[in-house]
Structure formats: C-alpha cells, structure tokens
Amino acid sequence: MPRINDNFLKLKAGYLFPEIGRRVKAFTDAHPDAAVIKLGIGDVTEPLPEAIRNAMHTAIDDMGRHDSFHGYGPEQGYAFLRDKIAEHDFGRRGCDISADEIFVSDGSKCDTGNVLDILGPDNRIAITDPVYPVYVDTNVMAGNTGEMQEQGGYEGLVYLPVTAENDFNPPLPEGKVDLIYLCFPNNPTGATITKEGLKQWVDYANANDSIILYDAAYQAFITDESLPRSIFEIDGARTCAIEFRSFSKNAGFTGTRCAFTVVPKELTGTTAAGEQHAIHPLWNRRQSTKFNGVSYIVQRGAEAVYSEAGQSQVRELISFYMENARLLREGLGSIGIDCYGGVNAPYVWLKTPGKTTSWDFFDSLLNEAHLVGTPGSGFGAAGEGYFRLSAFNSRENVEEAVGRIRKNLG
Ligand SMILES: *Cc1c(COP(=O)(O)O)cnc(C)c1O
C-alpha cells in the first residue's frame, strides 16, 4: 500500500473560499432575485490588452510555418522575453539583474510553492499574518510545520502580525529566521513598504544569513514613485533575496499564465555539511528537470507588455482598477469605516465597525447590501476584525456596490 504525504492532512480543508461559496449559495437560494455583486476574489475582470492579443495572433501564425515553428523552448524562457524583463523591469530602475537570473514560468503561485524544492528541512520560516495562503499551505505540504494550533496558526512557523497598530508593516523577527516571506504591495492588506523599511529587512537578512522570498506581484499598482517596485532596488538584496513577479495582475494574464522569478547568482544557502552553496544553479536544475517552459505564444504576448502600445494599454488597465479602488475607499470612508490600502494596491482592507468579527461583517454585507467580500480572518488570525474588498471589477459593479454600501451600512 503506497504511503501518502500525511502533511496534506494537516491542512485546513480549503476553508475560506468554499465557506464563502456556501454562504453565498444559501443566500441566493433564499433570495433568487437579489443581484449579488462579488468583490471577493483576486482575479482580474478586464480583457487582455490589444497589443498583447496582436502579438499572440502573430505568434500563432509563426507556429503555422516550418521556418518559424517553435517546439520545446528553453526551460528558463526565451531570450527575447528575459532580455526585455531585465532591461525594463530592472535595468531602467537601476537594478543590477541580468537576463540569465530571470526564470520565466507559468505563475508566481507555483514558483512561490516550488521554491521549497530547493530549500532544505529545519529552516525557521517567518510569515506575515494575515498572508497570501499559498506561502503557508505549501510549507505545510512540504512538512516544514507541525499541526494546526487552536489559535489558527501552524506549529513551527514564526508569525509576524500586521495590523493597523503597526501600520501593516511587519516587525522584524525576534531572533534568527532562515526564510522570510514578504509581499509588497500586499495581498490582502494593500500595504506598501518604503525603501528605508525594505532596507531594514535586507540588512536583517544579510546579518542573519536569511533569504527573503519577495512577492512583487502587485508592483505595477504602485502610484507613489518613491516606493520600491523591486527588492533589488535596495543595496544588499542580491545576497539575500529571491523575487517573484507575475503578468497576472498588471497585464491581465491570470488565465493566460506567465510570470517570472529572479534568482541572483550571489545568493547562497548552506549544505548539510555546513558549506555555502549557490541557489541559482539549484533553481536552474529544478526548472530544467520539472518544467518545460511557457508556451512560445504566451511569451510573445508577455513580450508585448513591454512594447510602447503594450505599456500604455497596461497603464490604462491599472488606472482603471485603481479608480475602482478609489471609489471603494472613498465610499467606505464617507460612512466612517476605516480603510487601508487601495492607493498603491488593488485591495481595500477595511476595519469592521466596533467589535464585529470578519465573518459577521461578511454576513451583514451579504444580507443587507448583497455584496460579497473576503473576511480578513481567512488570511490569518491577525486578520480578524478586518475585511478585504477587491478593485478587480467593472466600473458599473463598483459604483453600484458603493451606492449600496452608503445606503445600507451608512
Ligand atoms: C495573484 C497573486 C500572485 C500571482 O499568481 P500567478 O500564479 O502568477 O497568477 C502572486 N502572489 C500574490 C500574493 C497574488 O495575489
């Protein structure tokens, strides 16, 4: 009888989104005429920009001719895309990142999970609370945690609470940790970090031989030009950070799938024998063995993000979502609800009124305003008393939602 990976049994059985689905279904069964608007899930709603579609059409035609047909591509991604990423996302912002430190992939979700393949056991791992659940669950699956504890966290992880009290800036860990997950602009809180703030993390990591796993999936939503878009804008990051980037949220690739991970060549970890070993060749080997690259057509689409037309269309897309975020923030503010984020991130993170729990707020929003959001407690224990609204929606839905919030919760 084959043994299963028992670590999977430690996982809370996909609690958050199924529970939301269950409550929404119960409500719509009871009120079939209610026009429920969903401001819950972090998926884009607007179509793929034209420059990207055009590039993909051309790439499909390439695939139809012997002289331009593409079979298996390089596992690390085509040079035409890696070069553009290196130039536009890093070179132009003064970051020293070369094309061969960029690994194109089919998603940041998988990369943030897969990176655990090249990291060993017994690492002390710090995670913010609340957090993007993928970081936690992939560590549970890999056997890096103990059981789920009563307060909601997993035994063995170092949780860094982020709340209004610390301005949603995680405190540096007490003592030494080996791995640190950071995500800025943040999902779910919409918080950002300054260069000075990020420098403290880079200095901590270099002083403690830690690696920062930096998720910058929302960097394109930064409107404040003084904020870092990449951890590699910070001196010293090349010896302590891996960065995850994605085309999902900036260019609408959630269904098209393309992302990349940056692994600097100076970055090292320790072998069982206590020797330093470079991380870059391990990730290269991991990808070459377990991954066969992103399709040529999709990489041509991603390349078009960097064209002049692509850049302006992507900027337009982002401004569209950020205007949604502004409407949500101001609507909530006008009825006295404290809210955070939504300025440099497509998520508005609100404080539930009084002592209302996240789930009670979910129920009243659904019952009174027929709106669906995401309870903050679903992202971690410290998210209790908070609630996430997403700006990924049509303008019409957002305006209607804001009207209902003012009318029903005001
Ligand atoms: C959406 C999102 C991503 C992107 O994931 P993909 O797999 O590239 O679509 C990464 N990190 C966070 C925190 C996200 O919310």
Side-chain angles (χ1 to χ4, degrees):
M1 188 95 115
R3 275 285 310 275
I4 60 158
N5 180 348
D6 286 277
N7 294 316
F8 279 64
L9 307 182
K10 296 178 195 163
L11 294 165
K12 247 195 319 187
Y15 174 73
L16 179 61
F17 288 102
E19 178 61 19
I20 291 174
R22 198 188 62 71
R23 293 192 191 203
V24 172
K25 182 169 186 306
F27 177 80
T28 50
D29 285 351
H31 307 88
D33 296 331
V36 172
I37 297 177
K38 294 185 180 168
L39 298 160
I41 296 175
D43 193 2
V44 298
T45 53
E46 299 308 296
L48 212 52
E50 190 186 6
I52 295 166
R53 284 182 281 125
N54 286 344
M56 290 172 73
H57 279 298
T58 306
I60 289 177
D61 292 337
D62 289 347
M63 294 298 269
R65 291 187 308 270
H66 276 110
D67 64 347
S68 51
F69 170 77
H70 286 74
Y72 289 126
E75 290 94 350
Q76 301 82 355
Y78 284 105
F80 63 74
L81 179 56
R82 298 170 92 193
D83 289 344
K84 295 242 168 40
I85 293 170
E87 183 202 335
H88 285 256
D89 285 332
F90 299 102
R92 289 191 188 178
R93 295 196 63 85
C95 309
D96 170 27
I97 293 294
S98 63
D100 63 353
E101 294 173 315
I102 294 162
F103 294 84
V104 176
S105 78
D106 60 351
S108 279
K109 183 183 188 175
C110 27
D111 285 358
T112 54
N114 291 339
V115 72
L116 295 176
D117 270 9
I118 61 165
L119 297 167
D122 305 326
N123 285 322
R124 261 171 71 76
I125 301 165
I127 290 185
T128 63
D129 172 15
V131 76
Y132 181 52
V134 175
Y135 314 149
V136 175
D137 288 0
T138 52
N139 273 293
V140 175
M141 291 172 179
N144 291 341
T145 73
E147 297 292 333
M148 159 78 72
Q149 295 170 313
E150 240 166 68
Q151 314 87 294
Y154 286 92
E155 200 185 323
L157 293 179
V158 177
Y159 287 95
L160 309 172
V162 282
T163 60
E165 283 68 47
N166 60 16
D167 236 353
F168 303 98
N169 269 310
L172 292 173
E174 287 172 23
K176 215 169 141 68
V177 300
D178 303 296
L179 294 179
I180 303 154
Y181 288 83
L182 293 180
C183 173
F184 290 106
N186 191 261
N187 175 14
T189 68
T192 53
I193 194 163
T194 61
K195 283 187 179 157
E196 297 69 37
L198 194 50
K199 178 83 171 90
Q200 291 193 336
W201 283 98
V202 167
D203 290 346
Y204 169 92
N206 281 322
N208 290 281
D209 277 331
S210 349
I211 293 181
I212 298 172
L213 301 169
Y214 194 75
D215 186 342
Y218 295 97
Q219 57 79 27
F221 294 85
I222 291 175
T223 49
D224 177 347
E225 277 304 317
S226 74
L227 298 175
R229 287 171 182 257
S230 165
I231 195 168
F232 298 113
E233 291 180 31
I234 310 300
D235 276 345
R238 286 185 58 85
T239 50
C240 69
I242 294 177
E243 181 164 295
F244 303 95
R245 291 273 195 113
S246 175
F247 295 99
S248 283
K249 310 292 163 46
N250 65 335
F253 271 56
T254 54
T256 305
R257 311 306 303 145
C258 198
F260 59 92
T261 289
V262 184
V263 186
K265 291 189 189 135
E266 283 96 315
L267 188 68
T268 59
T270 311
T271 65
E275 283 157 1
Q276 280 209 336
H277 196 286
I279 298 285
H280 184 278
L282 301 182
W283 185 246
N284 190 42
R285 185 57 201 260
R286 192 262 166 221
Q287 291 299 83
S288 306
T289 300
K290 292 198 182 182
F291 183 58
N292 242 338
V294 177
S295 88
Y296 170 74
I297 298 159
V298 168
Q299 289 191 65
R300 281 294 185 199
E303 181 193 21
V305 168
Y306 299 100
S307 68
E308 210 171 297
Q311 288 283 289
S312 93
Q313 289 163 21
V314 163
R315 267 198 299 274
E316 219 171 289
L317 202 54
I318 289 175
S319 319
F320 173 80
Y321 291 128
M322 292 316 289
E323 173 64 8
N324 285 350
R326 188 187 69 79
L327 292 170
L328 286 169
R329 237 180 36 239
E330 293 190 353
L332 290 160
S334 75
I335 56 162
I337 292 183
D338 287 334
C339 52
Y340 309 93
V343 178
N344 296 288
Y347 298 115
V348 174
W349 185 245
L350 66 92
K351 180 77 195 76
T352 60
K355 295 213 178 312
T356 318
T357 67
S358 298
W359 277 109
D360 285 347
F361 188 79
F362 175 93
D363 289 332
S364 54
L365 199 63
L366 178 59
N367 285 296
E368 289 158 34
H370 306 171
L371 300 175
V372 180
T374 315
S377 55
F379 297 101
E384 181 56 90
Y386 293 92
F387 199 81
R388 191 188 76 175
L389 292 178
S390 157
F392 293 128
N393 220 315
S394 66
R395 182 60 44 77
E396 192 188 356
N397 276 352
V398 168
E399 283 172 347
E400 170 68 22
V402 169
R404 289 188 200 170
I405 287 169
R406 285 179 193 270
K407 179 156 160 268
N408 296 283
L409 303 182

